[in-house]
């Protein structure tokens, strides 16, 4: 893809996610208590359950939610006891998330920042947790610089957890690009591949991966509403069985590369140095 400047990339992203948020703007809803209940003491068969288990007790912790979108995770993490800073460059998504936080009684636990992460004024060495859900694959042209910005905001040894679409099997990747599957995506996004994971590892040397969604790619068929909490008991059970089979299969080294989603986690470096050769670019270029 042709390289584009920061400002143009930011505008494309903001336009795309503003348009999505606009369709929901007049019906913000508070967080569903069933979601909070699910993640308060959860299993690990689904990626977000796995992440919440990794986090442990969030009470009193500071969390940076990078690319918070319409606030699903910021609301959940704040409900679980964290003090959240939620950053996103889409003004409409941020406005929607803020309205949901107010309706949920969480406004005083979440600071919303509407800015590209590259220029958000984040305090250095401040966060106990850096969290990103489906965001790194939106900043691939500046992955290295973005990770440097995040690591500077993290306390030494902070937990870092990303959930990202991945495409680690080259054959599957080729097949996927041949199929005319309709996608609803921004221009530069694509699943992370092995070289991208190498970039992440430069900033988080103990990078660990846990893969999800092999058979569970069928989720759209089984859960047309997209939500496990509001699905019928039959559909919930079916999803849990498929997720359990997935979990077992994706533990096998040969199969793990077939997972469509990865939880990528580790710790921020203890030394405050950036890896060699990384100079965060904090000034917008056109
Ligand atoms: C796929 S959405 C994920 C939203 C949310 N994390 C979730 O899982 O529901 C990606 C979000 O990242 C935001 N985004 C993209 N590039 C960004 C950047 N450079 N800085 C801040 N936010 C960005 C977009 O506006 C969008 O809301």
């Amino acid at each position: 893809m042709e390289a584009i400047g920061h400002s143009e990339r930011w505008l494309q992203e903001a336009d795309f996610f503003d348009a999505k948020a606009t369709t929901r703007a007049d019906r913000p809803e508070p967080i569903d208590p069933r979601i909070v209940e699910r993640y308060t003491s959860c299993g690990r068969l689904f990626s977000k359950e796995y992440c919440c288990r990794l986090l442990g007790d969030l009470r009193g912790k500071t969390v940076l939610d990078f690319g918070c979108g319409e606030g699903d995770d910021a609301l959940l993490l704040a409900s679980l006891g964290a003090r959240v800073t939620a950053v996103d460059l889409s003004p409409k998504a941020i406005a929607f998330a803020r309205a949901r936080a107010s309706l949920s009684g969480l406004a005083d636990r979440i600071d919303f920042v509407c800015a590209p992460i590259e220029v958000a004024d984040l305090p250095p060495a401040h966060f106990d947790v850096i969290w990103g859900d489906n965001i790194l694959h939106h900043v691939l042209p500046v992955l290295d610089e973005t990770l440097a910005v995040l690591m500077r905001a993290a306390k030494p040894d902070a937990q870092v957890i990303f959930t990202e679409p991945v495409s680690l099997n080259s054959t599957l990747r080729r097949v996927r690009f041949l199929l005319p599957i309709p996608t609803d995506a921004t221009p530069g996004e694509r699943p992370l591949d092995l070289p991208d994971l190498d970039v992440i590892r430069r900033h988080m040397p103990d990078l660990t991966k846990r893969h999800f969604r092999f058979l569970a790619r069928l989720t759209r068929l089984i859960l047309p509403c997209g939500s496990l909490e509001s699905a019928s008991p039959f559909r919930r059970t079916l999803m849990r069985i498929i997720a359990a089979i997935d979990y077992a299969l994706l533990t096998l080294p040969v199969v793990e590369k077939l997972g469509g989603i990865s939880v990528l986690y580790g710790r921020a470096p203890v030394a405050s140095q950036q890896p060699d050769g990384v100079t965060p670019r904090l000034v917008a270029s056109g």
Side-chain angles (χ1 to χ4, degrees):
M1 197 189 134
E2 198 184 324
I4 59 170
H6 290 325
S7 315
E8 196 178 332
R9 184 169 46 81
W10 294 337
L11 280 174
Q12 280 179 349
E13 289 283 327
D15 281 353
F16 183 87
F17 288 102
D18 274 355
K20 278 185 175 279
T22 301
T23 63
R24 288 185 272 275
D26 56 346
R27 5 178 200 102
E29 288 190 0
I31 187 166
D32 183 337
R34 292 172 298 181
I35 295 179
V36 182
E37 192 188 326
R38 172 178 174 194
Y39 291 102
T40 298
S41 165
C42 60
R44 57 185 171 174
L45 296 180
F46 296 89
S47 57
K48 204 180 290 188
E49 291 185 354
Y50 191 86
C51 293
C52 286
R53 266 178 96 106
L54 286 174
L55 286 174
D57 187 355
L58 274 178
R59 283 171 296 179
K61 297 222 175 122
T62 47
V63 177
L64 172 64
D65 179 6
F66 165 34
C68 66
E70 296 173 11
D72 286 1
D73 294 347
L75 266 62
L76 173 62
L77 298 168
S79 298
L80 297 177
R83 164 100 233 162
V84 181
T85 298
V87 179
D88 202 288
L89 52 61
S90 157
K92 299 240 163 79
I94 285 281
F96 187 66
R98 204 176 257 136
R100 295 178 69 200
S102 295
L103 288 171
S104 308
L106 294 168
D108 60 342
R109 304 201 58 80
I110 310 176
D111 295 321
F112 288 102
V113 178
C114 185
I117 196 78
E118 296 93 325
V119 294
D121 193 13
L122 299 172
H126 177 76
F127 294 100
D128 298 300
V129 177
I130 304 290
W131 170 281
D133 186 354
N134 275 291
I135 174 63
L136 293 184
H137 71 287
H138 285 270
V139 294
L140 289 174
V142 288
L143 184 59
D144 212 13
E145 294 89 333
T146 302
L147 287 161
V149 167
L150 295 174
M151 294 302 163
R152 272 221 318 274
K155 283 182 184 166
D157 207 34
Q159 275 185 300
V160 183
I161 304 183
F162 299 111
T163 305
E164 293 294 329
V166 289
S167 180
L168 303 180
N169 180 288
S170 50
T171 312
L172 263 190
R173 201 160 50 237
R174 276 195 293 274
V175 171
R176 167 70 189 80
F177 282 118
L178 290 176
L179 296 176
I181 300 171
T183 52
D184 180 22
T186 49
E189 75 175 81
R190 59 161 175 78
L192 271 55
D193 56 18
L194 287 170
D196 299 320
L197 299 192
D198 289 340
V199 175
I200 299 174
R201 198 173 286 106
R202 274 179 12 97
H203 296 268
M204 193 167 51
D206 67 338
L207 172 67
T208 308
K209 313 183 284 294
R210 173 71 224 186
H211 305 288
F212 292 86
R213 274 201 193 221
F214 172 34
L215 304 175
R217 289 171 209 251
L218 303 171
T219 304
R220 266 184 250 180
L221 299 178
I222 302 168
L223 287 184
C225 67
S227 153
L228 194 69
E229 291 77 24
S230 41
S232 68
F234 171 74
R235 286 176 192 270
R236 275 209 300 271
T237 305
L238 191 56
M239 271 311 296
R240 289 213 172 269
I241 291 171
I242 291 177
I245 298 171
D246 257 12
Y247 195 89
L249 284 177
L250 290 170
T251 305
L252 305 171
V254 189
V255 186
E256 66 160 9
K257 286 191 175 162
L258 301 178
I261 295 273
S262 266
V263 173
L264 308 167
Y265 62 98
R267 296 268 169 187
V270 177
S272 59
Q273 292 166 310
Q274 301 286 348
D276 290 345
V278 176
T279 312
R281 275 181 280 157
L282 293 174
V283 181
S285 67

